[in-house]
Amino acid sequence: MQTETREATRRRFTVHEYHRMAEAGILHEDDRVELIDGEIVEMSRIDSRHALCVSLLNRLLVRGVGDRAIVSPQNPVRLDERHEPQPDLTVIRDRAYGRSLPTPGDTLLLIEVSDTILSYDRNVKLPIYARAGIPEVWIVDVNGQKVERHTGPSGASYRHTELARKGETLASTTLPDLTLRADDVLGRT
């Protein structure tokens, strides 16, 4: 007797279905999940180093952008019908969002703080951000003690990458008055 083998079929969700799951109570407000390529992905837990880094960046960004933009910590960005990530920080245009989430066109700068999932942020999320046309993405590598700036989205990658280590600075390309001293973020982690 021959046994038939089939691959499991994955069910991918749209952003609308994802939101309906939350409305129905299937997903709860405290669930640390995001929608990546139509799949509900559990996000890693936030440890003390990660939390400190996000808090320091939040303070620096709020001071740096002032009233020119909104700093949105750990809130979703709707990239398309199958992607609604929750980056650690997003700097978005200052407009009334009402019942809508920020989109790629609203996003000036997006930051991921990586301590345990650097490979995931670089190899999964960064290409998604590039395809969505996010103009500038920073990845803070807590363990490697560096900040990466990715600019010039082209297809599934970025044309330009710059690194800042302790003792160095990194200037935003989308927010011309914003310069980050790596020590201000990495020096305490």
Side-chain angles (χ1 to χ4, degrees):
M1 173 174 213
Q2 188 173 359
T3 306
E4 182 180 326
T5 57
R6 292 187 336 177
E7 283 191 36
T9 303
R10 291 184 175 186
R11 166 70 160 88
R12 298 195 190 279
F13 299 100
T14 65
V15 168
H16 176 73
E17 292 167 328
Y18 178 65
H19 285 238
R20 296 267 306 151
M21 283 186 248
E23 291 166 9
I26 297 168
L27 297 174
H28 301 283
E29 188 176 303
D30 295 337
D31 288 339
R32 291 206 23 87
V33 296
E34 58 188 351
L35 189 67
I36 302 295
D37 196 24
E39 295 183 350
I40 299 169
V41 177
E42 188 172 1
M43 297 164 49
S44 64
R45 68 176 190 82
I46 297 175
D47 68 11
S48 60
R49 290 177 17 165
H50 185 280
L52 175 62
C53 190
V54 170
S55 295
L56 293 170
L57 278 164
N58 187 59
R59 181 175 64 188
L60 293 168
L61 291 171
V62 168
R63 287 178 182 167
V65 301
D67 292 334
R68 296 178 294 144
I70 298 169
V71 178
S72 180
Q74 299 176 331
N75 288 317
V77 176
R78 184 176 183 172
L79 301 181
D80 59 31
E81 283 303 308
R82 301 257 184 227
H83 295 92
E84 192 175 289
Q86 290 191 32
D88 288 301
L89 291 149
T90 312
V91 179
I92 55 178
R93 298 184 192 287
D94 186 7
R95 73 167 180 85
Y97 289 93
R99 294 182 178 260
S100 67
L101 291 172
T103 64
D106 298 311
T107 305
L108 302 170
L109 170 64
L110 187 146
I111 301 174
E112 294 286 358
V113 175
S114 295
D115 51 355
T116 58
I117 57 165
L118 180 61
S119 174
Y120 183 76
D121 286 340
R122 276 193 192 138
N123 301 321
V124 175
K125 292 180 93 172
L126 191 62
I128 291 168
Y129 295 147
R131 280 193 296 274
I134 303 296
E136 183 172 2
V137 176
W138 292 2
I139 297 177
V140 180
D141 178 358
V142 174
N143 295 325
Q145 292 288 283
K146 63 187 172 205
V147 181
E148 304 172 7
R149 183 187 71 197
H150 302 272
T151 57
S154 177
S157 63
Y158 284 87
R159 289 189 297 267
H160 310 286
T161 300
E162 184 177 341
L163 299 177
R165 299 183 192 289
K166 286 188 174 186
E168 299 175 339
T169 61
L170 193 62
S172 171
T173 60
T174 57
L175 298 158
D177 297 333
L178 180 65
T179 300
L180 169 81
R181 287 182 10 175
D183 289 12
D184 291 341
V185 177
L186 299 170
R188 298 183 191 180
T189 57

